[in-house]
Amino acid sequence: MTTIIDPTATFEDAKELIAKIETNWESVKLPHKLVSAFICAWEKYTGHPALRATGMTRLHTSSDRSENIADVDLSLGIAVSPLRALLHGYKKTAKDIAARSSVDAFLVEYKSKVQGTPACWPELESAIDSSSDVTAEEKALLKSFLTDSEKFYDIKGITRDDFATPALCRASGKRVDRFSIIDQIAAAAHLDPDIYSMLLEFINNVDSKAVAPASELKLDDLIPSNFTSSLLAKPFTIITGASGTGKTRLAKDIAKYLSNTEGTNSATVAVGADWTDNRSVLGFVNYLRTVKQDQVEYPVYQSTPILDLMLAASEDTTTPYFLILDEMNLSHVERYFADFLSVMEQDPGVLELHKEGDRKLPRHEGDLKGVPPQISYPSNLFVIGTVNIDETTYMFSPKVLDRANVIEFTVETGAIESFLKAPTTYPEIEVAAPGIAAGFLTLAKQARNLEIAKLPQASTDSIANHLLNLFAILKDGRFEFAFRTAKEVNAYLRVCRHLSADQGTWDSEGWKQDLDDQILQKLLPKLHGSMGRIGGLLAELADYCHTGTYTERTENSAGIQLKTAANLVATDSTPFPKSLAKLKAMIRTLQDEQFVSFIQ
């Protein structure tokens, strides 16, 4: 059954998209994932290579010829790819009907360069009307398409046998001088429908710089604000604490709160002690099992719940996806998670999966999607790891801790007392209202790109002063931080200000509480060592978190004593009380055991 679609809506979509491309950018910088997908489609369509260059792509149109296409022109061609395919569909349908009905004169005139309606039109009109596999509505659309010269043909320099190029011109509202190469771009792009979707998402995201209002997120009271702010600023958070404090439950709560309709946008995976390489994360090609598809034997790709979640996240880019790694330090994190740690920091980050050519390998019998040779790290994937420390687990290396916000769960005396007197079950969290999950993801992407409003200059100066002082203290102790940490602290604070109910109060004093969280979650987690290694450093940090003042030490000046630091008491003027409390706890452990680490 032939299906004819009214092109009007497609025209309007193409016009709008092209207008955005031409209006908002002098040079569009397309995402690597989109360009890579297009290059694969181009090489499949033409049989000639395409190479990525800065701000443009070199398209080989024959064995001895190539053209450099700027990103904006490449976008133009991709934007009209659905329209081109639609119009060629009309062309093929008309030719099929003419051939079926022996309207030979139409086929001859159809290919001619004569403008206007074919002389044999009455014959073809009769053939269309008598066609049994075209509905009455579709017949009207098809006849309109073939005869409306004002809409499709009456453009200088365009011939009747080219049905795509007039469409490109009409969609853009102007003559496209390089219509030949643009037409080929459109044809190649149509081979992969995801290319158009990726372009549309990219254009719409860049076109709208408005940040999602905090009121639209409505983050639930059951989810601590520092946890949501951490995920928004960086999609990798580690939760540590004693067993039974609710770490995994919290991770599942936010995944449920921001779940999709089917509840399929999260996976909780228990890390095994035998995870000694990345096969437990990304899977592997199983040559001992094969599946026959289209008369060809393919080896099965032994997938994992983690890879399945990543593939789903790559297809559903407007929904946040959550990977919860339960007890992630039950094995050496660097052994199984090194690839993730690397690509998380890259833009784009690409994970290599197999080397079986360009084909997708099936995961099981009947798998229609399969596993591609490589996958870009999904920008909508959030990783939450839970950590227990005992004789069965391993400590994190600094490079792991440096890439995450580390949130420690502790049980206060008052909380356990209340529970013992009135035991209750965990409160059930409800799924967020429609649009909240999308707003969360939008805000997260904007936070990572520092597109949220900058902090006021007065707050920026005060925060920078504290961070520089802490940098100096940590550098003296050989635990200094670098640019990544500084950027992520800034992103976190921008998120906190954006989400605050009273930004005026936040600007004056409220930022101290959030900077306290970042000292605790980003600067202190890497601290570990013996009494001689970090004793003096812990005392200096505790003193600074207690007073907020720093005096550079000289050879003749003595710093605060460890015993004195252990007895510091927070007052109303203490700028960073939570960090002070943690440092005092570490000092006590150091005094008792002569060795301490942040995660205990």
Side-chain angles (χ1 to χ4, degrees):
M1 178 70 178
T2 302
T3 300
I4 303 298
I5 305 171
D6 188 342
T8 305
T10 314
F11 274 135
E12 297 307 316
D13 289 345
K15 281 183 180 179
E16 182 178 354
L17 190 54
I18 291 167
K20 288 181 180 179
I21 292 171
E22 295 182 333
T23 301
N24 297 318
W25 293 272
E26 294 180 1
S27 177
V28 179
K29 296 179 180 179
L30 296 178
H32 182 273
K33 179 180 178 182
L34 188 154
V35 177
S36 296
F38 171 76
I39 285 176
C40 291
W42 175 267
E43 293 176 344
K44 185 182 295 184
Y45 175 72
T46 66
H48 301 295
L51 302 174
R52 184 75 171 116
T54 304
M56 60 179 56
T57 303
R58 178 176 289 274
L59 300 178
H60 289 266
T61 55
S62 65
S63 58
D64 60 352
R65 184 171 176 268
S66 66
E67 292 198 43
N68 285 325
I69 300 297
D71 276 352
V72 66
D73 291 327
L74 187 62
S75 301
L76 177 70
I78 293 173
V80 294
S81 57
L83 183 58
R84 179 191 193 279
L86 174 67
L87 299 183
H88 274 281
Y90 280 94
K91 176 179 180 179
K92 182 179 183 303
T93 301
K95 291 177 68 174
D96 289 346
I97 291 175
R100 252 193 345 258
S101 307
S102 300
V103 188
D104 298 329
F106 173 78
L107 292 176
V108 173
E109 295 184 35
Y110 188 85
K111 296 177 182 179
S112 72
K113 298 183 183 299
V114 179
Q115 296 284 349
T117 303
C120 64
W121 170 244
E123 293 179 66
L124 182 58
E125 183 178 33
S126 176
I128 291 174
D129 286 334
S130 62
S131 178
S132 60
D133 62 349
V134 181
T135 67
E137 183 179 1
E138 292 168 341
K139 290 175 183 177
L141 285 171
L142 181 58
K143 289 190 287 186
S144 172
F145 166 76
L146 291 171
T147 58
D148 189 346
S149 61
E150 181 183 352
K151 179 180 290 186
F152 295 101
Y153 306 138
D154 193 17
I155 299 175
K156 182 179 180 181
I158 304 302
T159 59
R160 169 169 294 284
D161 64 337
D162 190 334
F163 271 66
T165 306
L168 306 190
C169 294
R170 181 172 178 78
S172 61
K174 65 177 186 179
R175 169 132 181 212
V176 181
D177 292 327
R178 307 179 73 189
F179 64 81
S180 178
I181 188 67
I182 296 293
D183 187 49
Q184 292 184 63
I185 291 171
H190 184 69
L191 295 181
D192 184 353
D194 289 341
I195 295 174
Y196 181 79
S197 299
M198 284 188 282
L199 178 70
L200 191 62
E201 179 193 8
F202 169 69
I203 297 296
N204 286 337
N205 285 344
V206 176
D207 181 56
S208 176
K209 295 292 184 183
V211 181
S215 59
E216 291 183 4
L217 295 179
K218 301 177 182 177
L219 297 170
D220 199 282
D221 292 338
L222 296 176
I223 303 173
S225 60
N226 65 321
F227 181 47
T228 53
S229 295
S230 296
L231 283 174
L232 287 165
K234 179 72 178 286
F236 179 30
T237 297
I238 295 172
I239 311 176
T240 180
S243 179
T245 52
K247 301 184 296 295
T248 305
R249 175 69 187 213
L250 173 63
K252 290 183 175 180
D253 276 351
I254 196 166
K256 180 179 179 181
Y257 180 64
L258 299 174
S259 65
N260 56 13
T261 306
E262 301 79 16
T264 56
N265 61 322
S266 66
T268 302
V269 180
V271 173
D274 59 343
W275 285 24
T276 56
D277 56 37
N278 69 358
R279 291 187 301 173
S280 299
V281 176
L282 298 177
F284 58 93
V285 181
N286 188 347
Y287 293 100
L288 299 179
R289 292 178 57 207
T290 60
V291 169
K292 180 175 286 188
Q293 292 183 349
D294 299 326
Q295 306 304 312
V296 179
E297 290 283 347
Y298 293 96
V300 166
Y301 194 93
Q302 201 74 36
S303 189
T304 67
I306 296 175
L307 179 59
D308 290 341
L309 186 73
M310 291 181 65
L311 292 171
S314 298
E315 294 180 354
D316 183 14
T317 56
T318 59
T319 302
Y321 277 70
F322 296 90
L323 169 60
I324 302 169
L325 293 173
D326 201 20
E327 296 195 61
M328 71 177 300
N329 64 329
L330 200 58
S331 181
H332 283 291
V333 175
E334 297 82 354
R335 293 180 178 175
Y336 69 85
F337 212 53
D339 294 326
F340 265 72
L341 293 175
S342 176
V343 300
M344 263 184 200
E345 304 301 319
Q346 300 174 25
D347 183 23
V350 178
L351 289 164
E352 301 292 338
L353 300 179
H354 65 77
K355 300 183 182 297
E356 297 295 316
D358 293 334
R359 61 184 178 177
K360 292 184 178 181
L361 298 183
R363 291 166 288 184
H364 50 76
E365 192 77 42
D367 182 13
L368 300 179
K369 295 183 178 179
V371 177
Q374 61 183 29
I375 181 175
S376 295
Y377 187 84
S379 60
N380 56 330
L381 179 65
F382 298 80
V383 180
I384 305 170
T386 66
V387 175
N388 292 317
I389 298 298
D390 55 42
E391 64 278 1
T392 68
T393 60
Y394 298 89
M395 288 302 299
F396 286 115
S397 68
K399 71 178 180 182
V400 176
L401 297 173
D402 192 47
R403 286 166 165 77
N405 269 281
V406 180
I407 299 177
E408 185 177 35
F409 268 32
T410 57
V411 179
E412 302 296 335
T413 302
I416 196 70
E417 180 183 5
S418 298
F419 178 82
L420 290 172
K421 291 181 178 179
T424 59
T425 59
Y426 280 113
E428 287 295 326
I429 194 167
E430 299 293 330
V431 177
I436 301 301
F440 179 90
L441 179 58
T442 298
L443 183 57
K445 291 180 177 180
Q446 292 165 338
R448 291 175 219 166
N449 296 326
L450 298 181
E451 292 175 355
I452 298 177
K454 294 180 180 180
L455 305 179
Q457 193 59 50
S459 302
T460 298
D461 292 343
S462 298
I463 292 167
N465 183 59
H466 281 299
L467 289 174
L468 285 171
N469 290 339
L470 288 165
F471 177 83
I473 296 171
L474 288 166
K475 186 176 183 180
D476 285 343
R478 303 191 300 281
F479 280 98
E480 69 270 22
F481 56 89
F483 295 107
R484 177 195 294 119
T485 299
K487 176 186 176 183
E488 291 172 4
V489 169
N490 183 265
Y492 180 94
L493 294 175
R494 289 194 191 190
V495 168
C496 291
R497 182 177 186 271
H498 177 71
L499 295 176
S500 64
D502 184 348
Q503 292 187 352
T505 300
W506 192 95
D507 293 341
S508 59
E509 290 291 328
W511 56 265
K512 291 181 181 179
Q513 178 180 337
D514 295 320
L515 181 56
D516 191 8
D517 285 335
Q518 281 299 274
I519 296 170
L520 189 60
Q521 295 169 194
K522 292 293 294 182
L523 305 188
L524 302 187
K526 291 190 293 182
L527 299 182
H528 69 283
S530 62
M531 177 70 77
R533 174 74 174 86
I534 67 168
L537 175 60
L538 293 182
E540 290 288 337
L541 288 170
D543 186 37
Y544 186 82
C545 289
H546 181 251
T547 64
T549 59
Y550 170 67
T551 303
E552 186 175 357
R553 304 301 177 190
T554 65
E555 293 182 2
N556 299 323
S557 62
I560 185 173
Q561 297 298 306
L562 197 65
K563 183 177 180 181
T564 303
N567 294 318
L568 292 173
V569 178
T571 65
D572 290 341
S573 62
T574 298
F576 310 120
K578 286 184 281 188
S579 298
L580 173 62
K582 176 62 179 179
L583 288 163
K584 289 172 59 179
M586 292 178 69
I587 289 172
R588 288 193 294 270
T589 301
L590 186 63
Q591 289 172 325
D592 292 342
E593 302 177 13
Q594 303 300 300
F595 185 91
V596 69
S597 65
F598 177 89
I599 301 177
Q600 305 179 58

